[in-house]
Amino acid sequence: MGSLIYRELYIARKFYITNILVVLLFILLCSLVRLSMLYGNLAVLDEESHGFINTITYYVFTYLVAYGAFSILDDPGVIQSDYRSNWRIFAYSLPVTPAKRVLVKYIIKLGAFCAAMLLSVINGCIVAAFAGRSFGTEQIFNFFLLVNFWLIVDVLRAPMMLRARSEKEFQVSGMAGYFIVIAAIMLPIMAKMTAIGAEVAMATEADDLDSDQQLTMLQERLMDFLKEIHDKVLVWMPLLTIVILAVGFFVCIQMLKRRES
C-alpha cells in the first residue's frame, strides 16, 4: 500500500508542488492588495469606490483562492501516465485488487482535500481580518460547496478515464465530466431564472412599470431565488462531501472490475 501511494505521489509531485506554490503566492498577493487598501495607494480612494472594491476583493480573494486550492483534487496526470507507460496492463500481474488501487487514489485525494481546506481557511481568516469581517461556519460551508463541484466532476471523470482503452478516450472522458456537471447544475437554474423573468415581465406590464423599475424587480427576484437555493443547500454540503467520496470510491471499484473482467 505504501509503495503504491509513493508511486502516485511521485508521478504527480510537480502538479501538487506547482499548484500549492501558486495558491501560496496568490494568498500573498491578496494580502498585499488588502494592505494597500489599508495603508497604501488604494487607501486614498473615495469612500464609495473603496467600499465597492472592499466588497469585491473580499469575495474574490476568499473564494477564488479556495477554488484554486481545491483544484489539486483534480489531477488526471497519474492516469494519463499509466496509459502512456502501459502500467494498467502490468498492474494485472500484481497481487493488488481493484479496491486497493482505488483506495490508494482516495487516500491521496483525502490528503489533498485536507491540505486544500487548510490553505482555504488560512487565507479566508487573513482576508476577513483585513476586511474587518468575521470568518466562521458559513464561509467554511461555502468551501465545501466549492469542493463538492470538483468531487462531483471527479465521480464522473475518474471512472470513465479508468475505463478508457486509449489516450484519446481518456481525454474525451476528462472533458465530458465537466460539461455534464455544469449542464446538470446550470440548466435547471437557467430554466427557473427564465421563468422568473417571464413572471416579472407580466407583472411590470400589468402595473405599467418603466424599464428601470422592471430591471430592479428582476434583480431582486433573481437574487432572492439564488439566495434561497444557497441557504437551503449550504447546510448539507459537508455531508454531501462524504456521500460523494463514498459513491466515487465504489463506482471506481466497479468500473475497474468491469474493465478487468
Side-chain angles (χ1 to χ4, degrees):
M1 178 72 74
S3 59
L4 291 176
I5 293 175
Y6 172 79
R7 172 187 170 273
E8 300 246 347
L9 289 175
Y10 183 79
I11 292 174
R13 66 193 185 282
K14 291 183 180 178
F15 173 84
Y16 289 122
I17 292 172
T18 301
N19 280 31
I20 290 174
L21 286 177
V22 168
V23 171
L24 290 174
L25 288 173
F26 199 48
I27 290 174
L28 177 61
L29 175 63
C30 295
S31 300
L32 291 175
V33 172
R34 298 302 310 194
L35 281 172
S36 178
M37 293 179 66
L38 292 174
Y39 308 110
N41 296 334
L42 295 178
V44 300
L45 293 173
D46 60 87
E47 185 176 347
E48 183 178 355
S49 299
H50 189 278
F52 175 75
I53 295 175
N54 182 55
T55 301
I56 294 297
T57 54
Y58 170 75
Y59 289 105
V60 170
F61 290 171
T62 300
Y63 298 111
L64 184 61
V65 171
Y67 186 80
F70 288 124
S71 69
I72 65 176
L73 294 169
D74 180 44
D75 177 29
V78 175
I79 301 177
Q80 187 173 25
S81 175
D82 290 349
Y83 277 107
R84 290 176 175 175
S85 64
N86 288 322
W87 166 265
R88 67 189 186 93
I89 298 175
F90 172 73
Y92 294 153
S93 64
L94 300 177
V96 181
T97 63
K100 193 171 183 178
R101 291 210 294 275
V102 175
L103 179 60
V104 167
K105 294 185 179 297
Y106 271 79
I107 288 174
I108 295 172
K109 196 182 301 293
L110 185 59
F113 165 76
C114 292
M117 182 62 77
L118 179 62
L119 288 172
S120 301
V121 170
I122 291 173
N123 175 71
C125 291
I126 294 172
V127 174
F130 281 133
R133 295 171 178 254
S134 61
F135 181 88
T137 305
E138 181 178 357
Q139 286 80 5
I140 293 176
F141 278 17
N142 281 325
F143 292 160
F144 276 99
L145 180 63
L146 292 175
V147 76
N148 285 340
F149 170 80
W150 284 109
L151 293 178
I152 292 173
V153 170
D154 188 65
V155 167
L156 294 173
R157 294 179 70 202
M160 290 191 292
M161 289 188 295
L162 288 170
R163 188 169 171 77
R165 299 185 181 279
S166 66
E167 190 170 342
K168 184 177 181 180
E169 287 184 21
F170 166 85
Q171 294 171 346
V172 172
S173 299
M175 292 185 292
Y178 284 111
F179 289 122
I180 292 172
V181 174
I182 291 173
I185 294 173
M186 293 304 300
L187 289 179
I189 292 178
M190 293 301 296
K192 180 62 177 179
M193 292 175 70
T194 302
I196 290 174
E199 292 173 5
V200 169
M202 293 177 62
T204 53
E205 184 177 347
D207 296 336
D208 195 24
L209 301 178
D210 59 35
S211 58
D212 290 338
Q213 292 173 316
Q214 180 180 358
L215 180 60
T216 300
M217 181 183 293
L218 178 61
Q219 290 174 338
E220 291 176 351
R221 290 287 302 276
L222 291 177
M223 291 303 296
D224 289 342
F225 164 66
L226 294 175
K227 186 177 186 304
E228 181 182 3
I229 291 179
H230 178 266
D231 292 344
K232 284 182 177 179
V233 304
L234 196 64
V235 69
W236 299 103
M237 287 298 106
L239 178 61
L240 184 60
T241 300
I242 297 173
V243 172
I244 295 171
L245 285 170
V247 170
F249 178 76
F250 288 108
V251 168
C252 282
I253 291 175
Q254 295 305 314
M255 279 292 186
L256 278 180
K257 287 181 177 179
R258 289 184 59 185
R259 191 185 73 180
E260 295 179 6
S261 62

